Amino acid sequence: MKFAVFLCVISFVVIVTADKQKDEKYTTKYDNIEVDKILNNDRLLRNYVDCLVHGTHCTKDGEVLKKVLSEALKTKCEKCSEKQKKEAVKVITFLLKNKRDWWNEIEAAYDPNHVYREVYKKEIKDAGIQF
């Protein structure tokens, strides 16, 4: 559960920041996206989930997130800015608490064997998330 929240947060952090450049931080081009508005609008949020899971309904920032999400998970978001990391945690927490089915879809697509739950064990515990 905690990992799922962290994974979701990382996902949105990457969405908000995407456009990766070789050996550099992810772009901050999307850092001004109002994540709270997306989280509180089922239609918009569902579009992001569909983008990540199925490659449909993708906005520009959603496309960028989809491209970098796997790398961000593998590297513990080392190319993410602090703001991106913070927003990712917010998104993951929201999805785990309020949209568990949608979170499960994302986790099934990006971590079907729950490998990242172990990788992010400390972060998950620190966020107070339980699986």
Side-chain angles (χ1 to χ4, degrees), residues 14-37:
V14 175
I15 286 175
V16 173
T17 63
D19 274 359
K20 88 178 185 184
Q21 298 175 7
K22 190 175 181 179
D23 298 325
E24 295 181 13
K25 295 279 187 189
Y26 297 122
T27 184
T28 56
K29 179 178 180 178
Y30 301 106
D31 278 8
N32 292 323
I33 288 177
E34 295 183 46
V35 173
D36 290 326
K37 284 188 177 181

Side-chain angles (χ1 to χ4, degrees), residues 9 12-13 16-17 28 30-35 80-89:
V9 171
F12 268 89
V13 165
V16 173
T17 63
T28 56
Y30 301 106
D31 278 8
N32 292 323
I33 288 177
E34 295 183 46
V35 173
C80 296
S81 69
E82 288 305 312
K83 179 174 182 178
Q84 293 165 350
K85 290 177 185 178
K86 179 181 173 184
E87 295 293 340
V89 171

Side-chain angles (χ1 to χ4, degrees), residues 57-103:
H57 305 291
C58 292
T59 58
K60 287 267 190 198
D61 55 318
E63 288 175 6
V64 173
L65 175 61
K66 186 165 177 53
K67 282 183 185 178
V68 300
L69 182 56
S70 291
E71 176 189 73
L73 288 169
K74 289 176 186 170
T75 65
K76 292 188 101 174
C77 214
E78 67 183 22
K79 294 182 181 181
C80 296
S81 69
E82 288 305 312
K83 179 174 182 178
Q84 293 165 350
K85 290 177 185 178
K86 179 181 173 184
E87 295 293 340
V89 171
K90 180 190 292 186
V91 170
I92 290 170
T93 302
F94 179 89
L95 288 173
L96 285 173
K97 289 182 177 179
N98 303 293
K99 300 291 183 184
R100 178 55 69 103
D101 291 343
W102 294 2
W103 170 257

